[in-house]
């Protein structure tokens, strides 16, 4: 942990006391949140690759554009079940950052290989 803190030039834990307890600093909490989101996205990506390998070809594509927080916290836990229930649908998740008048999610569909 100290090596990571040195690499980031930030303390991630507040160490202290005789009971060897530690609490996350504000920087540590931000890093934890980002790492959890990244792991959820990685889990979704791996699940998608496994599903693709298990199926020869899908006939439809579902394109989902969502901001990273929504994708990590809401979509990632649900997408695997959707893929299990709908093996003929290729699910592609794309991320965007909110900045203008965009919503939190955009969904499109089409025949596989048509791009949407």
């Amino acid at each position: 942990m100290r090596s990571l803190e040195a690499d980031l030039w930030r303390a991630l834990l507040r160490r202290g006391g005789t009971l060897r307890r530690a609490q996350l600093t504000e920087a540590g909490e931000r890093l934890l949140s980002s790492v959890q989101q990244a792991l959820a996205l990685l889990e979704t990506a791996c699940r998608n690759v496994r599903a693709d390998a298990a199926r020869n070809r899908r006939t439809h594509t579902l394109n989902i554009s969502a901001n990273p927080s929504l994708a990590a916290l809401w979509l990632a836990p649900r997408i695997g079940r959707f893929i299990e229930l709908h093996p003929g649908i290729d699910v592609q998740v794309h991320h965007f950052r909110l900045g203008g008048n965009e919503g939190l999610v955009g969904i499109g569909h089409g025949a596989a290989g048509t791009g949407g």
Side-chain angles (χ1 to χ4, degrees):
M1 183 57 86
R2 290 188 192 275
S3 176
L4 179 59
E5 289 175 320
D7 188 53
L8 297 173
W9 297 1
R10 293 277 188 266
L12 301 174
L13 295 175
R14 265 186 234 94
R15 296 167 180 86
T18 57
L19 298 177
R20 302 189 94 179
R21 292 188 182 178
Q23 291 181 321
L24 290 173
T25 62
E26 186 177 326
E29 288 188 22
R30 284 194 314 267
L31 180 63
L32 175 63
S33 176
S34 295
V35 168
Q36 287 173 329
Q37 290 177 18
L39 288 174
L41 292 172
L42 180 60
E43 180 183 338
T44 298
C46 289
R47 190 177 299 129
N48 288 341
V49 169
R50 279 189 218 102
D52 286 345
R55 295 166 184 85
N56 285 341
R57 188 164 193 266
R58 297 191 178 153
T59 58
H60 292 86
T61 300
L62 175 64
N63 291 301
I64 302 172
S65 296
N67 83 359
S69 295
L70 180 69
L73 300 175
W74 188 87
L75 186 59
R78 292 165 174 82
I79 197 118
R81 182 74 176 132
F82 179 88
I83 291 170
E84 289 172 14
L85 292 172
H86 307 281
I89 298 176
D90 179 29
V91 178
Q92 297 182 10
V93 179
H94 310 277
H95 300 107
F96 67 84
R97 298 221 180 269
L98 295 176
N101 293 326
E102 301 96 349
L104 292 176
V105 65
I107 299 176
H109 64 87
T114 65

